[in-house]
Amino acid sequence: LDLAALAAQGERLLEGSAEDILPQYAAAGGASGGARPKVIAGVSHDGRIIADGAPSALTGRTPTLPDGFTPYLIKFAARDDAAAYGRDVGAVEFAYWQLAQAAGIQMPRAQLFLAGDGNRWFGVQRFDRHGRGAHGRRHMHTLGGLLHASHRLPSLDYEAFLAVSAHLTQDMRQVDQAVRRMAFNVFAHNRDDHARNFAFLMDENGSWQLAPAYDLTFSAGIAGYHTTSIAGESRTPTVRDMLRLARDSGLDARQATRAIDEVDAAVAQWPDVARALDISGAVIARVGNVLDETRRAAQERRGPL
């Protein structure tokens, strides 16, 4: 075997338009793990895509992207998504990206990629990179990694997420962000909120901050429960539960109430945002009905703490 030749082949980058490249990778199941397969790619301003930018299996080296390309993760459909969403898998996650931005949550850049087979795939710019190659990595640690907590089974409460955010960043603005993410996952029915879906970034001075939010989409979780509980409640968490955790984390009660109310109002925009993205009426109604039920349950016991 000519290992040098094999290494060169392993590092070869496939380049083309989104319409040409993405159907091939979707059919192959993507190049990265997770509930939904993903491909690591470089995306140019004029719509060209270079994929795959993953490390070579033989050399371990990460190819350097050419000038003008930005590192992205592009997500495809999971096995059960077609029955649930049809061709709207990517559009639903992009709608959630827009709702999260409206809720005041820090989000990475994202866009929908139109593939040649008619699918629209959600792509997000990699916030753990600030350069074109392997030396452009930013130091990132997930909540699960910091606490040695499992992401495969329920292992944490949002109390831990808020406490780590306060302790690690020493910045109550970051705690406000954490509260908003907790509230968004409740109101938007994102119950796949496991320990690896929260992360922190450290800069060159050793200061920590929350990483931009990611993997925000409609999800029933494990048997309909939040993977990360809210004040011990995983099935029907309430605003009261969220306010108590926010207060215990040191956030001012009025600020916590404002953050939760703003998230609630943003998620309520789901029908309008979804229609603007031409998501099917059946998907809009199905997701909307669940969101309405979730909101009613969350507001039922909203009284003084």
Side-chain angles (χ1 to χ4, degrees):
L1 294 177
D2 186 343
L3 294 181
L6 287 175
Q9 290 176 359
E11 293 179 357
R12 186 171 299 152
L13 299 177
L14 183 63
E15 181 177 352
S17 67
E19 290 85 352
D20 296 333
I21 297 299
L22 294 185
Q24 300 177 45
Y25 276 90
S32 183
R36 286 177 174 154
K38 312 168 185 68
V39 63
I40 303 167
V43 178
S44 70
H45 295 299
D46 59 2
R48 287 178 298 146
I49 291 178
I50 288 182
D52 176 358
S56 164
L58 289 175
T59 69
R61 294 198 301 269
T62 300
T64 298
L65 292 174
D67 289 332
F69 285 84
T70 302
Y72 265 75
L73 283 178
I74 302 174
K75 303 171 71 171
F76 303 123
R79 181 175 300 175
D80 299 330
D81 283 337
Y85 301 106
R87 293 182 177 271
D88 289 329
V89 177
V92 168
E93 187 160 359
F94 190 66
Y96 268 54
W97 177 82
Q98 292 182 323
L99 295 175
Q101 282 201 315
I105 296 173
Q106 182 188 6
M107 301 294 293
R109 292 184 180 180
Q111 66 183 87
L112 275 179
F113 293 91
L114 178 62
D117 58 3
N119 280 298
R120 295 179 293 171
W121 301 121
F122 177 76
V124 59
Q125 184 175 330
R126 297 191 64 170
F127 53 77
D128 60 337
R129 298 287 187 271
H130 58 76
R132 296 183 293 114
H135 299 294
R137 295 175 182 268
R138 302 180 67 189
H139 182 62
M140 186 183 83
H141 221 328
T142 67
L143 180 65
L146 287 165
L147 300 180
H148 301 278
S150 172
H151 68 282
R152 301 186 184 279
L153 295 171
S155 59
L156 290 177
D157 192 281
Y158 276 95
E159 179 183 17
F161 176 45
L162 299 184
V164 171
S165 298
H167 178 75
L168 201 60
T169 69
Q170 297 292 304
D171 185 348
M172 295 310 295
R173 293 171 298 181
Q174 299 290 294
V175 178
D176 178 89
Q177 273 289 305
V179 168
R180 289 175 187 269
R181 295 181 194 191
M182 171 179 64
F184 187 88
N185 286 339
V186 171
F187 287 122
H189 201 76
N190 176 29
R191 302 198 164 190
D192 186 33
D193 48 353
H194 58 73
R196 284 178 58 180
N197 275 347
F198 308 98
F200 298 85
L201 294 171
M202 187 178 74
D203 64 21
E204 60 275 9
N205 299 315
S207 297
W208 289 91
Q209 64 179 3
L210 271 170
Y214 55 92
D215 282 354
L216 302 183
T217 193
F218 183 81
S219 173
I222 302 173
Y225 290 85
H226 279 277
T227 312
T228 298
S229 59
I230 299 93
E233 177 59 51
S234 298
R235 186 71 171 182
T236 54
T238 66
V239 171
R240 180 185 176 91
D241 296 326
M242 292 187 280
L243 285 172
R244 180 163 70 83
L245 290 186
R247 180 198 62 187
D248 291 347
S249 71
L251 198 65
D252 177 79
R254 287 181 295 181
Q255 185 179 357
T257 300
R258 181 172 63 251
I260 293 171
D261 286 346
E262 288 177 358
V263 172
D264 184 13
V267 174
Q269 299 174 32
W270 157 255
D272 296 332
V273 170
R275 278 192 290 268
L277 290 171
D278 199 27
I279 294 174
S280 73
V283 171
I284 293 174
R286 183 170 61 84
V287 172
N289 288 338
V290 175
L291 298 187
D292 290 343
E293 293 173 6
T294 301
R295 184 178 190 275
R296 282 194 295 270
Q299 297 283 2
E300 275 182 359
R301 290 185 284 139
R302 183 172 188 173
L305 295 176

